[in-house]
């Protein structure tokens, strides 16, 4: 038996993202500060839930329910992980909160900022913990890069960033019920993968707490096929500093594994970020201008010194998010230290404006 404090999880849905999360919950690693218990699983059928439990958490014996509501009512569940499609997040969060449960809900948190605000208001009234499960922000690579950029100013003052996420999906071949094609479920590249491109831009151009963060001016364009947004391009410009970001996403192309997907430019160099995908970064290289070189606006590689930082992925990559969330719960927090409510709202407001300009509207809006 472990001497670590325990946090008991209720898992909503048995899809791919939930399977990845559960695999990391039960992962045995020496630096763990919490023992994660998969207490309950909510799914459409008992058989599906039992198969999920046997495959992904064979050393534990979670209760399996054929209705989400039963997970919410289970007194032995400390926090609910919601892995349903975007279009169900509002419903599932509100039902879990109504039952008095703490919640970790997958990104994108909701379809729009209005839904997010209503969820946070409900959580405040019920005095429960709620956080958006943006696993990227919890990764050691992301946290270290943030520190180097804004505390050490390793490339001077950042003034622009490029970030892209390309993930090939043949939407025309998919059934109308697919989350990639069903607008009710939040289909489109922006909420699914574009949010990662925006997150890299936020990392590079931010630095301020979300409550003090300046809202950028936005110029956005979106392309639709089969009624679904398949490509988004956005220019962000911060009036007070002149900083700019170019943020793109598409489901019409596939990025090559290991390719550079984000470039951050500063007054004293630049940084390239690479990895399997923008949601699973593996390394970044810092190119800084050599001392003694004449001042230039552009630094060719032969005039720079490159230092590569590598960060092996632990498990599926959800370990750090699970640990941080569990520690929040044990410490009695109601918001995530990594992804507080104001940060989720800041990002949702930006995506709302992008969709407004791109004419992407979800049912009920």
């Amino acid at each position: 038996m472990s001497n670590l404090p325990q946090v008991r999880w209720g898992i909503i849905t048995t899809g791919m993202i939930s399977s990845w999360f559960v695999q990391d919950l039960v992962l045995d690693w020496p630096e763990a500060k919490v023992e994660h218990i998969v207490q309950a699983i909510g799914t459409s059928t008992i058989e599906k839930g039992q198969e999920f439990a046997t495959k992904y958490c064979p050393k534990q014996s979670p209760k399996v329910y054929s209705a989400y509501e039963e997970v919410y009512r289970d007194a032995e569940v400390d926090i609910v992980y919601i892995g349903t499609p975007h279009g169900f997040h509002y419903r599932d969060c509100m039902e879990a909160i109504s039952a008095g449960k703490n919640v970790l809900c997958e990104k994108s948190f909701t379809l729009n900022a209005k839904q997010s605000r209503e969820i946070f208001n409900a959580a405040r009234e019920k005095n429960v913990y709620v956080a958006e499960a943006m696993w990227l922000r919890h990764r050691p690579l992301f946290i270290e890069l943030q520190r180097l950029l804004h505390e050490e100013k390793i490339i001077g003052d950042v003034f622009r960033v490029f970030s892209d996420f390309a993930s090939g999906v043949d939407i025309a071949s998919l059934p109308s019920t697919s989350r990639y094609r069903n607008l009710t479920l939040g289909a489109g590249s922006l909420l699914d993968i574009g949010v990662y491109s925006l997150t890299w831009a936020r990392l590079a151009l931010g630095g301020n707490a979300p409550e003090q963060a300046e809202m950028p001016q936005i110029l956005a364009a979106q392309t639709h096929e089969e009624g679904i947004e398949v490509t988004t391009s956005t220019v962000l410009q911060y009036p007070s500093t002149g900083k700019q970001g170019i943020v793109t996403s598409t489901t019409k192309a596939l990025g090559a594994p290991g390719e550079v997907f984000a470039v951050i430019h500063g007054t004293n160099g630049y940084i390239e970020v690479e990895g399997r995908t923008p949601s699973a970064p593996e390394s970044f290289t810092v190119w800084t201008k050599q001392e003694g070189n004449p001042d230039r606006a552009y630094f060719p590689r032969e005039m720079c010194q490159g230092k590569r930082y590598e960060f092996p992925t632990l498990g599926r990559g959800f370990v750090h998010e699970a640990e941080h969330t569990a520690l929040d719960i044990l410490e009695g927090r109601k918001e995530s230290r990594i992804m507080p409510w104001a940060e989720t709202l800041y990002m949702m407001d930006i995506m709302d404006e992008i969709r407004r300009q791109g004419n992407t509207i979800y049912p009920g809006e």
Side-chain angles (χ1 to χ4, degrees):
M1 293 292 291
S2 171
N3 293 322
L4 298 174
Q6 293 184 346
V7 168
R8 301 166 298 180
W9 293 82
I11 307 299
I12 299 300
T13 77
T14 52
M16 181 186 70
I17 196 73
S18 293
S19 73
W20 289 358
F21 186 76
V22 167
Q23 287 177 69
D24 277 5
L25 278 184
V26 301
L27 186 68
D28 185 18
W29 61 295
E31 296 179 15
K33 298 180 180 179
V34 179
E35 181 182 4
H36 299 275
I37 306 298
V38 182
Q39 184 68 30
I41 296 170
T43 185
S44 55
T45 68
I46 295 294
E47 293 74 22
K48 185 183 290 186
Q50 290 173 338
E51 181 181 348
F52 180 93
T54 300
K55 185 174 183 179
Y56 298 113
C57 47
K59 295 182 180 180
Q60 300 190 11
S61 301
K63 299 175 185 176
V64 177
Y65 298 115
S66 59
Y68 301 164
E69 293 80 6
E70 294 181 86
V71 177
Y72 307 149
R73 291 197 299 264
D74 190 328
E76 295 184 305
V77 170
D78 298 315
I79 182 168
V80 171
Y81 168 81
I82 294 174
T84 51
H86 316 305
F88 293 145
H89 288 176
Y90 176 78
R91 177 201 69 186
D92 297 335
C93 283
M94 292 298 274
E95 289 180 355
I97 292 168
S98 178
K101 282 289 184 274
N102 300 306
V103 174
L104 177 66
C105 179
E106 265 305 327
K107 65 84 205 160
S108 289
F109 189 62
T110 53
L111 293 181
N112 53 52
K114 178 178 180 294
Q115 289 182 341
S116 296
R117 288 186 168 87
E118 290 179 5
I119 288 172
F120 294 144
N121 287 337
R124 188 178 293 109
E125 292 177 4
K126 278 287 189 176
N127 195 34
V128 295
Y129 177 95
V130 174
E132 179 180 9
M134 173 48 82
W135 63 326
L136 172 59
R137 299 205 185 215
H138 295 263
R139 287 173 175 263
L141 180 153
F142 192 93
I143 293 172
E144 176 62 7
L145 180 53
Q146 193 171 39
R147 187 189 70 81
L148 290 173
L149 283 173
H150 300 297
E151 294 182 22
E152 292 196 12
K153 291 189 175 295
I154 196 168
I155 57 170
D157 294 325
V158 174
F159 61 87
R160 71 170 182 170
V161 59
F162 301 92
S163 56
D164 176 61
F165 198 145
S167 177
V169 179
D170 186 3
I171 291 176
S173 68
L174 297 174
S176 60
T177 54
S178 168
R179 74 178 184 90
Y180 293 106
R181 192 168 179 173
N182 189 337
L183 283 175
T184 301
L185 302 184
S189 81
L190 179 62
L191 293 187
D192 191 33
I193 57 177
V195 64
Y196 289 112
S197 301
L198 281 169
T199 298
W200 287 108
R202 171 70 171 134
L203 163 73
L205 303 177
N208 294 328
E211 295 87 350
Q212 288 82 43
E214 180 181 20
M215 186 59 64
Q217 294 178 344
I218 297 170
L219 180 62
Q222 295 185 307
T223 299
H224 301 78
E225 294 181 5
E226 305 290 331
I228 305 301
E229 175 263 307
V230 295
T231 302
T232 292
S233 298
T234 304
V235 176
L236 309 172
Q237 199 265 356
Y238 290 80
S240 68
T241 62
K243 295 179 180 180
Q244 294 185 10
I246 297 177
V247 177
T248 56
S249 62
T250 184
T251 53
K252 287 178 63 64
L254 186 63
E259 71 175 2
V260 173
F261 55 76
V263 181
I264 303 167
H265 287 109
T267 53
N268 196 39
Y270 64 98
I271 295 175
E272 295 176 325
V273 190
E274 57 267 324
R276 288 173 292 171
T277 70
S279 61
E282 297 172 337
S283 62
F284 60 85
T285 303
V286 179
W287 298 91
T288 55
K289 183 185 174 187
Q290 293 180 353
E291 293 183 5
N293 282 337
D295 289 337
R296 297 181 57 150
Y298 172 64
F299 313 124
R301 285 182 187 246
E302 60 268 19
M303 294 180 59
C304 298
Q305 294 177 326
K307 181 177 181 181
R308 185 180 178 88
Y309 296 75
E310 295 185 352
F311 294 78
T313 298
L314 180 62
R316 288 282 188 174
F318 293 84
V319 171
H320 307 289
E321 174 185 77
E323 281 284 293
H324 292 158
T325 303
L327 290 171
D328 284 341
I329 297 297
L330 292 169
E331 294 168 7
R333 296 177 181 271
K334 303 306 175 185
E335 298 186 36
S336 167
R337 290 165 293 179
I338 302 294
M339 194 68 184
W341 297 352
E343 186 65 29
T344 291
L345 292 173
Y346 182 84
M347 299 296 284
M348 291 304 308
D349 281 335
I350 290 176
M351 289 194 289
D352 277 2
E353 177 59 19
I354 292 172
R355 289 196 301 112
R356 187 192 69 79
Q357 293 187 27
N359 197 31
T360 297
I361 302 171
Y362 292 117
E365 289 189 311

